[in-house]
Amino acid sequence: MARRADLVGLTVLALLTVRASHPYELHRLIVDTHKDYVTGLPRSLYHAVERLTADELIAPVETVREGRRPERTVYEITDEGRRELATRLRTLLETPGPDRRTFTAAVSLVGVLPPADALQSLRTRAATLEGMLAGADGHLGAMRESGLPDLLMIELDYERTLTAAELDWVRALVARLESGRLDWSSTTDPELLAKVLGER
């Protein structure tokens, strides 16, 4: 994606794949599940809902009122919203970028993708990270050979270390997926969502 990733909108789309909800419910779920990459709540959430509605990625389905509370509009994800969500998620999973929060968000929501799609995207990311690591090693080697002191290369060494650690983690996640040790079914379970929200 050329533009900055809309992590709030991405999260709203992902949560609405589980069940239709109103913004207050979505806010509670984001907080209760520690989606800390989502910032600016609650304003950012309401803005995201407006944008997604205007883009026809979500649609209002009903208005509810509980007791004396104000009316709340319940939204559901559209078919176009599901396609957009899958595209955005695959892009964030496959493409390393300078903002590491985007990958945190993508792995936080990866359960909405079919396992095969997630696995392919993570393999693509691993291959890209391998290339980045080889490039960093070559760059550092050339700088050392030129006689530059290590202190002038310390930030490159730091970035190389972060890339290597991410690659190790992604490879381990791929191995868990390939072996079937990572349970995929529970992430889209409406009963789990109700439990998190404290409903019965």
Side-chain angles (χ1 to χ4, degrees):
M1 301 165 81
R3 62 184 182 178
R4 187 175 175 187
D6 175 12
L7 301 184
V8 184
L10 182 79
T11 304
V12 169
L13 290 173
L15 295 178
L16 289 179
T17 65
V18 181
R19 76 170 190 194
S21 301
H22 53 70
Y24 178 71
E25 206 170 32
L26 295 169
H27 183 186
R28 282 179 53 201
L29 189 59
I30 288 168
V31 171
D32 291 348
T33 57
H34 301 280
K35 307 252 182 266
D36 297 330
Y37 58 82
V38 175
T39 58
L41 292 173
R43 183 180 299 165
S44 63
L45 175 64
Y46 286 95
H47 287 319
V49 167
E50 288 175 10
R51 281 192 310 274
L52 295 169
T53 303
D55 292 341
E56 299 183 351
L57 302 178
I58 65 174
V61 288
E62 67 175 327
T63 302
V64 296
R65 182 193 295 272
E66 297 172 9
R68 295 183 173 203
R69 293 178 178 166
E71 287 186 341
R72 293 179 171 148
T73 302
V74 175
Y75 294 86
E76 68 179 5
I77 190 169
T78 64
D79 289 341
E80 181 61 29
R82 288 179 192 279
R83 287 189 290 273
E84 180 68 15
L85 170 62
T87 298
R88 288 186 194 183
L89 257 183
R90 284 193 301 264
T91 299
L92 293 181
L93 285 170
E94 292 172 4
T95 313
D99 184 357
R100 295 186 187 274
R101 290 180 322 130
T102 59
F103 187 52
T104 300
V107 295
S108 172
L109 305 171
V110 70
V112 302
L113 289 176
D117 287 4
L119 188 56
Q120 181 59 46
S121 293
L122 289 166
R123 286 176 178 149
T124 299
R125 187 181 194 91
T128 302
L129 290 169
E130 287 167 0
M132 290 170 63
L133 202 55
D137 287 342
H139 190 53
L140 281 166
M143 290 176 75
R144 286 192 179 102
E145 285 178 15
S146 73
L148 282 175
D150 282 350
L151 189 58
L152 295 180
M153 299 180 282
I154 201 163
E155 75 278 9
L156 295 175
D157 186 52
Y158 170 70
E159 289 296 330
R160 187 229 175 265
T161 301
L162 289 179
T163 300
E166 183 178 321
L167 177 57
D168 287 345
W169 189 86
V170 170
R171 284 174 173 163
L173 183 58
V174 165
R176 289 174 68 192
L177 278 167
E178 289 174 338
S179 68
R181 290 176 307 185
L182 194 60
D183 178 20
W184 211 259
S185 60
S186 62
T187 56
T188 55
D189 182 355
E191 291 181 14
L192 176 64
L193 179 61
K195 184 178 179 182
V196 170
L197 289 171
E199 299 173 2
R200 295 287 177 257

